[in-house]
Amino acid sequence: MQIVLHSLVLSILPVNAQEVKHVVLISIDGFRPEFYKEESWPTANMGILARKGVYADEVRTIFPSVTYPSHTTLATGVFPAGHGIYYNTKVGDNGKPEGWIYDFKEIKARTIWQAAKEKGLSTASVSWPVTVNNPYIDYNIPEIWSMKNPVDRRGATSSYANPKGLFEEVVENATGTLGMNEYNLTSLRMDANLGRIAAYIVERYKPNLLTLHLPNTDGAQHRAGRNGDQVKRAIAGADYVVGEIYDALERAGILENTALIITGDHGFVSTHTSISPNIWLKENNLGDKAFFFSAGGAAFLHVKDKKDTRTIEKVKHLLCNLPLSERSLFRVIEGEKLKKMESDPGVDLAISAGDGFYFDNKTEGPLLNNGTGGKHGYYPDFHNIYTGFIAYGAGFKHAKSISFMQMEDIPAIIAFLLDMDLPGAKGMVYPGILEVSESE
């Protein structure tokens, strides 16, 4: 396998490559480097794995730094413009969110599950976004909920689990009977039950590739911001799941052949005030021609007539000429800064909120409103919005740390470890964190 590192081409061969037979990728929603670097957080399992394995001080996410586009980048190694998942939801004609994006058919890029299947490997996934109807996952418990009653995920999960009956199987053998609130974000039992399901699949089916998404830490930070008891309890629950997966790998007899990777989709910013940028458009008689679509910490300008460049220029002008008290609340993202992040290709201008602020989709009322809790979605060039990375086990060095990496590096590393073909991935493979031999 040849990996291109800047202008140097190295032939990189894993030491004892046959030992890397399994990869487990755990994504903790809202995962931050502090959780494993600072002893004040209740993360004994992650702390041990970080110290004994590999960890990164920071992982740059994508733009917007939100869950579904980020998880699709983790599964493909490309940016939103390449994989087609631009936001968590579709964008309605009125500028409001219009349905979460569930179906795998929405993804335009090659995924790690497809690469694994074409290599003859077995695959599994638990609660990973945009995996409904994914034909490349052998054992799939997708993230989905009822359209009529979003709090209840059980029926929809059962309907879309693959193979048919898998959800009933894991309930019987791993979780026990699930009440509605034991399988949604109202309770920390959500992560615990997802962990039990994943651990059962590890022991029962021993997949070569398992992806697991744990959402509770995200919910806690949305409610409380970056700190507080809610966040500590949520990350402690996620840490417990990490320990459960580790133990399941050991019980299954595959621990020494497994690369265990823990990462996330974005960091968090504590907030106090929401901004309604569509009020600016309305006050300047532009509301019938364009709208800002909020992704939390950022908002993207959508022009109703795609050829209407004059409206874009008018919006730029009005943003630049706002009173200083308003203009200082955000920064404009356009040109090369927007282009390099390969976000929604239909957008030429976005705004990213300042510390403590975020955007909403309101078109009526005051410009500013109370907005406590936490948000993400911001342009990813500062520490608080970055996520983290821990890697332990087969294929990785011991007691190694790096200062910075990129989200798209993670699927490239997974493809390398399992010797899979993921040619479109834009990430880098770092020999310095892998047990590899190098020859020019």
Side-chain angles (χ1 to χ4, degrees), residues 213-230:
H213 169 226
L214 302 174
N216 275 142
T217 304
D218 177 82
Q221 292 176 100
H222 275 300
R223 291 188 296 271
R226 287 173 57 86
N227 300 301
D229 292 343
Q230 287 188 57

Side-chain angles (χ1 to χ4, degrees), residues 17 159 163 220 382 398 407:
S159 295
F382 61 101
H398 303 285
M407 178 168 283

Side-chain angles (χ1 to χ4, degrees), residues 224-421:
R226 287 173 57 86
N227 300 301
D229 292 343
Q230 287 188 57
V231 183
K232 284 188 175 182
R233 292 182 66 230
I235 194 61
D239 186 74
Y240 177 80
V241 171
V242 170
E244 284 284 287
I245 299 300
Y246 183 95
D247 289 349
L249 292 166
E250 195 167 39
R251 290 193 298 270
I254 59 174
L255 179 62
E256 66 178 14
N257 303 119
T258 299
L260 177 59
I261 297 172
I262 305 157
T263 188
D265 46 2
H266 51 72
F268 256 90
V269 171
S270 295
T271 60
H272 52 73
T273 301
S274 72
I275 307 168
S276 303
N278 287 310
I279 299 297
W280 288 322
L281 300 184
K282 183 178 180 180
E283 290 175 346
N284 287 270
N285 300 314
L286 294 170
D288 60 336
K289 296 182 178 180
F291 58 81
F292 279 105
F293 183 73
S294 170
F300 293 75
L301 182 68
H302 288 256
V303 180
K304 295 180 181 180
D305 180 354
K306 302 301 181 184
K307 299 179 181 179
D308 184 6
T309 57
R310 287 191 61 191
T311 293
I312 298 174
E313 292 304 315
K314 288 180 179 179
V315 173
K316 289 181 184 179
H317 183 266
L318 85 84
L319 293 176
C320 288
N321 288 279
L322 288 170
L324 181 61
S325 59
E326 297 178 16
R327 182 64 186 84
S328 62
L329 303 179
F330 66 93
R331 52 189 170 134
V332 174
I333 308 296
E334 60 176 332
E336 285 302 313
K337 205 164 191 177
L338 186 61
K339 182 179 179 181
K340 75 177 182 179
M341 293 307 301
E342 298 183 45
S343 305
D344 184 342
V347 168
D348 294 314
L349 183 147
I351 49 180
S352 187
D355 190 27
F357 297 88
Y358 70 95
F359 299 111
D360 59 47
N361 287 313
K362 294 177 182 178
T363 56
E364 304 288 342
L367 175 67
L368 304 180
N369 291 277
N370 179 53
T372 58
K375 292 290 181 181
H376 49 87
Y378 304 82
Y379 191 82
D381 60 355
F382 61 101
H383 176 79
N384 281 5
I385 203 60
Y386 291 154
T387 189
F389 175 84
I390 300 170
Y392 174 88
F396 287 103
K397 288 189 175 180
H398 303 285
K400 187 77 173 180
S401 67
I402 58 175
S403 60
F404 182 83
M405 63 187 298
Q406 303 157 115
M407 178 168 283
E408 61 272 21
D409 298 334
I410 296 169
I413 290 170
I414 292 171
F416 171 72
L417 290 173
L418 290 176
D419 194 23
M420 305 187 309
D421 187 17

Side-chain angles (χ1 to χ4, degrees), residues 50-214:
R51 289 193 301 273
K52 291 190 174 182
V54 173
Y55 72 83
D57 292 327
E58 298 177 325
V59 179
R60 193 263 298 135
T61 181
I62 60 165
F63 188 52
S65 46
V66 293
T67 300
Y68 279 31
S70 295
H71 277 85
T72 310
T73 292
L74 282 172
T76 61
V78 300
F79 294 91
H83 60 57
I85 309 301
Y86 310 136
Y87 313 101
N88 287 340
T89 68
K90 295 182 179 179
V91 181
D93 292 336
N94 61 356
K96 300 294 191 296
E98 198 172 79
W100 285 69
I101 302 170
Y102 299 114
D103 203 297
F104 179 76
K105 69 181 180 183
E106 302 288 344
I107 299 177
K108 300 175 182 178
R110 181 181 176 85
T111 66
I112 54 176
W113 305 291
Q114 180 179 354
K117 290 308 300 174
E118 292 178 1
K119 185 71 177 178
L121 304 177
S122 59
T123 57
S125 186
V126 178
S127 194
W128 200 270
V130 203
T131 55
V132 168
N133 297 319
N134 185 329
Y136 305 107
I137 301 177
D138 297 315
Y139 308 100
N140 189 13
I141 302 291
E143 177 166 287
I144 190 169
W145 48 84
S146 167
M147 300 299 106
K148 294 181 178 179
N149 182 16
V151 177
D152 195 349
R153 300 186 177 208
R154 297 167 300 174
T157 304
S158 174
S159 295
Y160 289 101
N162 179 64
K164 191 69 177 175
L166 179 62
F167 186 65
E168 288 71 24
E169 178 184 342
V170 297
V171 167
E172 178 180 353
N173 293 285
T175 68
T177 302
L178 287 174
M180 181 177 68
N181 290 333
E182 295 176 303
Y183 201 67
N184 64 37
L185 295 182
T186 65
S187 170
L188 295 183
R189 288 189 176 187
M190 179 64 170
D191 277 5
N193 283 317
L194 293 174
R196 292 184 184 106
I197 291 169
Y200 170 81
I201 291 174
V202 165
E203 288 191 74
R204 175 72 175 82
Y205 297 108
K206 300 178 179 62
N208 299 109
L209 174 65
L210 169 71
T211 54
L212 167 63
H213 169 226
L214 302 174

